[in-house]
Each structure stands twice: as C-alpha cells, then as structure tokens.
Amino acid sequence: MTDDDMTSIAAGGEGAETGPGVDELTFLEAKRMAEALVFASATPVSEKVLAERLPQGVDVRAVMEELKRDYSSRGVNLNRVEDSWAFRTAPDLAFLLNRDAVQQKKLSRAALEVLAIIAYHQPVTRAEIEEIRGVETSKGTLDLLLETGWVRMRGRRRTPGRPVTYGTTPEFLDHFGLEELGDLPGLEELKGAGLLSPRMPTNFSVPTPLSDPGVLADDEDPLTDIDLEELGLFAPKAEDE
Amino acid sequence: MTDDDMTSIAAGGEGAETGPGVDELTFLEAKRMAEALVFASATPVSEKVLAERLPQGVDVRAVMEELKRDYSSRGVNLNRVEDSWAFRTAPDLAFLLNRDAVQQKKLSRAALEVLAIIAYHQPVTRAEIEEIRGVETSKGTLDLLLETGWVRMRGRRRTPGRPVTYGTTPEFLDHFGLEELGDLPGLEELKGAGLLSPRMPTNFSVPTPLSDPGVLADDEDPLTDIDLEELGLFAPKAEDE
Amino acid sequence: MAELARGAGNNAAAPLEKLWGEPEVADRGVSEPTLTVDVDGFEGPLDLLLHLARAQKVDLSRISVLALAEQYIDYINRVRKARLELAADYLVMAAWLAYLKSRLLLPKPQNDDQPSGEEMAALLQFRLKRLEAMRDAVARLVNRNRLGRDVFPRGMPEAVIVSKKSAFQATLYDLLTAYAAQRQRRAITNVQIAKRHVWSLKQAREILTRLVGTTYDWTPLDRFLIAFLTTPEERATARASSFAASLELVREGALEIRQMEAFGEIYLRSGPKAAKFNPGLAND
C-alpha cells in the first residue's frame, strides 16, 4: 500500500490532465492553491469560487480530480458534493473520531420518513408526501426538516393551486456523503419498479384476478389463526399495574 | 521543484523511521489516524493525546515528523507548536485566504423581518413596514438592507409626502433561490410547513407578492435624479469644498 | 484493521422498528381495559397495514389482501370495543377495506362500473410497497457514513470561502420564519380549539383521498364509512348531514352522486374538480 500511495501521488505530478496551454508548473501550483482553499473551509467550496481564484485557464475539475486521487488512501479524503469540494476524514476512521462527536439531535422516525420521501420523490408537494405516507404530516415535521437545512422549498408545481414543492439541499448530500442525487441508494431500482411515481403504474404487478378469492393461490400461505397478541399489537396487561 | 516534491514524499513513504517492533503497515495506519485526528480537532492536538489514540508502540513523534514532510510542499502544512500539532495553510498561499476573509455577516432578526415584509408587501413604504411590524424601523436597518443589494428603492408613492417605496432586486431572488416572487409560500403553505399556526384569525392574510417587481405600480412615480440626490444616493456636486 | 473499524462505525444504526411506544405514551388515559393498545406507535393506517402485512412473512406482492383487510378490521373493532379513541384516518381505512372485502367476496354484478376488488387490492399493494420502499430508504440513508458522526470536517477552519457577491448570510428558511413569527405575533391568536365530536363524512372523504388517492369510481362508500365513523345513535344525523355535504360537493363539482332507485344505495365518485384536494397529482 505504501508504494501505491506514493506512486499515485507521483503519477499525479506528471500533470497528465493539464489543460491545453497550461504548463505543468501552473497545474501543480493550482493544485496547491485549490488544496489550501478547500482545506481552509469547513464547508464545501464550489468550483465556481475556485475558478475565480486559480490561475487563468486551469481546468478546475481536472485539478480537483487529481487532488482527490492524491488523498484517496489518506486519513483525510477529498469529497465532491455536486460541483463543490470538501475535505472530510476517511469513513473507516470513524471509530477513532466518533467518541468525540457531539450527540446530534435525533430525528423522529416520521421526520426521517418524510426526509426520505422528499429526497427520492423531489420535487414533491406536501399533499403528495401525505398521500405516500397515508397520514397527515404532523405539525413541526417539515418545519424541523427545513431547520436542519437538509430540506428546502424548491418552487411551485404548475398545477391548479400551484402548491409549493420541496426538495433537498447540498447540505443534505454533504451530510449523507452523496456526490449527487443520482447516488441515492437504490434510486434506479425504485424508479424501475415504478415505486417513485405518484400513481400506480399501469404495468404494476396487478395480481391475476382469482376465480375464487376465498381460495389461496399456490404461493400463498394460509393465515394461521394469528393472534394479534403475537403480532405485538395487543400486549397482555401487566399484572402488577 | 516538481521532482523534488515527489521524491521527498516518496522518501517519506519508505517508513525509514518506523519504531522498533512495529511493522510498516501499522506505521502507515498510524499516519492516517494521526492525520484524521489533527484534521478534525478544533484545537492543536498534543502528542500525549495522539499517543492514547494511535496503535500501541508507535513512535508518535516519528509519525508526525513524517506526516510533516509529506505535507511540506503541499498547499497545507503540518506545524508543531511545542508538542502539539495543527494543519495550517502554507505561508506562501496566505494571500489566497486574506483575499477571502470576507467576514460573512448575519442579518439581525429585525433586518430579516423587514426584508421579508418588503418581499411580500412590495411596493411598501417605511411607514407601512412600521405598521405591519408595530415597531419603528431604524434607518440603519433599511440602509443595511440596501447594502445587501437585495432591497432597492423602487419609486415614490403618489400620496402626501411622496414616501419612498421599497422592493426587492433580482439579486434577492438569486440569493434565496427563487425563480420569481410568486414562489414565496402563501398562507396555506406557511401553515403546512409549520411556520404559521394552523389557527390564525380568519381575517389574517398573507399578500400575494408582485408578479413583476420591475414594473411600477399605478400609484408609484419613478425616482428622479433629484430624489436620488436628496436621499443621499448621489453625492451632490461638491462646489464649496 | 480498517475493516474492523468500518464494522464498528456502522453499529450506530438506529433501530427503526418499534412496536411499542415510549412508556409514558403507552399507558395514557386507558380506563380499565384488559389490554393495553398501542395505536400511538403507528404512523397512520398504512403503517399499521404494513406491520400486519409483514406478519404474513411473504413478499408484499404475494400477500393475501383479503386476509390483511380482515385482520385490520378485526384489530380496529377490538380497539373500538375497548372504547379507545381512534384517529379518523384509521376508521376511514377500515371502511375502505370493508368495501374492498365486499368487492373481493361478492360476484361482480353486470354493468357494474365500480372498481373491481382486484384493482382496489392492487392499489393497496402498490401503496404499501411504495411506503415500504421509503422505509428501506430511511434505513439505508441513516446507515451511511454521516457527517458529524462518521466523517468529520476540518475542526479548525481558517476562513469562510464564499463567492464575492454575498457578504451577507441568510437562508430562505431564516426569512420565512422571521416573517411568519412576526406576523403571528402581531395577529391575535387567542383562538379556542374547537373540540371535534363527530367526523363528518366530508372530512372522511378528504382523508380517504389521502389514503387511496382520487381514483375511486362509483362507490357506495358512505354505507361503510357510517359503520365505522359514528356510534349507532349518531347515525341518522351523520347520514343526513353527510347527504347535505355531498350535495354541496356536487354543486362545487368535487363529487358526483347517483342513486339507481328510490331508497337505493347512494353512489359517489370524484367529480371533475376533485383534483383540488390533491393538486399535485392531478396532471403532472
């Protein structure tokens, strides 16, 4: 691993991706400058801001990609969040650092669910969120998510009533370690299964109409006389209460 | 410079200073750990603390000296002060940060209130802002908002006293990520997001913002040069100086 | 070592499933039933259905919707018998499931333009699957390497690197909270909360829209709603006021209504303007 490490840095030094007309020295200096700028900031720094500060004509994305490679096996990594960059500690060192972590306010299960729906279904209106969950969003949930800075009002849907739509922010991506929304876990599968559409897709696995719905299909298990108690929905009353 | 750079880093990689009995892999891992610890710490990290966290038997000083060499030619350096370690921007790149040391100013609660009222109620005069807020608005607050570039003087109301009307600028929309003023949430949406109580009095309303903030209202006159001079926005010709 | 570390980092995953609420929630205000019921532990009827469906231990697309409907209704009836107050959402779902059950069990009459039991069952499965997918998404999100828990930013930042043009810092959320709080402070908000005694069928229908969408066709749903929403002694008034409310909705175009014969079943379906309940889904 030692040698790989160093080789990759050394290889980076060759400046293979230097933009046309920009010499190797400028590219290397641009790397140092970008490194300093991003390192100095606790929040992601956009490529636009970097472009304003780096030497003219340097391909910012190429500089950052190379820096990212330099840091890939170190204790600190360079991460991209959409078109911004930030240094973060390597995830495998979490054990070393999280004992100092400030206990963050925990979001309720409902709030997390609303957050996930906003992330996967965005832009999404409040009515749509409620339709997916089948329950009214309790007061304060959206408010709390807006306050975390992970959720924002995006605009309005061009339908009657022009309802406000919600979406996620770059802080959301940064917090969950996502480069972009397309990296949401399982996004493509869910899309493919039609589970991100507001309505039931016409090709959704409609069960073949049973001739006699009272008769179990081959792949159905008979319902044993499941006790609701067993399901944990009713608990026997404790004796000593 | 380029080649020296890489050589020195590469040389560091050989792990020549590994403590006795500690293999190279452990040493490298200790380097990654130390790097992450110092990076994430809000204060310089002492060697004593590092020793507690790094694998047993690692020579902390040797680890740190090697990390220091790794970083010596980069945009960020690892510095020792007495027996504590911290990352700092390379001195020759300090100019990059000085240029950026724009202290980001937070708007006061009062300024945010006035800004929001201007956004929703524009065109609005200072007296009207005060009526909505129920408290006097200091000239400083309005001046500050003009300074942000988010608020502008639109014109003068065609009423006695010809008060100046205030409105928002395109920069306002840009900064707050709004496509148009109409994207500001209305009464129902403020309630839905939990920002307003669901039980507001029936006569309570939130105005629909202007569809085209660039066009003067029927009762607005444009600002003339004389107005601007009076308002102190144009410096009067200095004749007596 | 790195591997070991990764394992340790992921242990922080929060358990998402909890059938039992916090102790102080579970034993509130139950007079003397022999059972403690935890409806508070559920996030609405779909959540409850999802739990019941899981107990069937088969893939969601293979569950017996009929059995599920029966279990749900059984559960609701037992809760009602225990004289516990249930949120209207649960009751409306029970009514819809009772209707679904009747559609599944009774042969489909000729010239019947009501949704078939199978269509309704498929819709329910779709909704359960969609919600379950989001549950899984939550689990995957919270187990990622999260900033401030597993990965950390620079602890000693040296500068705020911002684009030149905004030396001032404020978010839309800051702006809106300032505005809403200020306007609210000035408005007199000493309004009493009206205690709701009976859920009107109009309200029930709005809940239904949230629960199953606007796609339902001619349905004699009110018969089912009445059964779940009101006590026997309140039924006459509920029916009368709901009929009046229905006519109002018909006038607004939100509802269509029909009756095949005198004293026959009253059928309802969404009208052309019903979309306003659920504007986002109308024509996206």
Side-chain angles (χ1 to χ4, degrees), chain B residues 220-232:
Chain B
E220 271 181 304
D221 285 331
L223 289 175
T224 63
D225 283 357
I226 299 161
D227 290 331
L228 294 174
E229 212 166 287
E230 269 175 32
L231 295 165

Side-chain angles (χ1 to χ4, degrees), chain B residues 126 130 136-146 153 166 230-233:
Chain B
R126 191 165 152 190
E130 288 178 9
E136 210 171 311
T137 301
S138 75
K139 182 155 182 316
T141 303
L142 275 170
D143 285 345
L144 179 77
L145 287 176
L146 289 167
M153 296 181 182
Y166 292 88
E230 269 175 32
L231 295 165
L233 294 178

Side-chain angles (χ1 to χ4, degrees), chain A residues 66-80:
Chain A
E66 195 169 306
L67 263 179
K68 181 180 172 168
R69 271 195 302 279
D70 290 357
Y71 275 92
S72 61
S73 56
R74 306 196 66 110
V76 175
N77 300 151
L78 181 59
N79 297 346
R80 179 169 70 80

Side-chain angles (χ1 to χ4, degrees), chain A residues 135-210:
Chain A
V135 75
E136 221 172 323
T137 309
S138 68
K139 215 173 132 270
T141 301
L142 273 171
D143 186 13
L144 182 72
L145 288 174
L146 287 165
E147 198 187 339
T148 60
W150 294 342
V151 160
R152 67 189 173 100
M153 294 180 176
R154 284 174 54 120
R156 287 180 186 273
R157 173 80 32 93
R158 269 184 213 94
T159 50
R162 305 203 353 106
V164 164
T165 54
Y166 291 88
T168 53
T169 62
E171 288 77 30
F172 167 83
L173 296 176
D174 192 19
H175 181 89
F176 290 99
L178 299 160
E179 284 195 348
E180 48 212 356
L181 280 176
D183 291 342
L184 281 169
L187 186 69
E188 286 310 313
E189 283 162 62
L190 291 176
K191 230 184 241 168
L195 291 172
L196 295 184
S197 59
R199 292 187 162 203
M200 183 167 71
T202 42
N203 62 350
F204 188 75
S205 56
V206 182
T208 21
L210 298 170

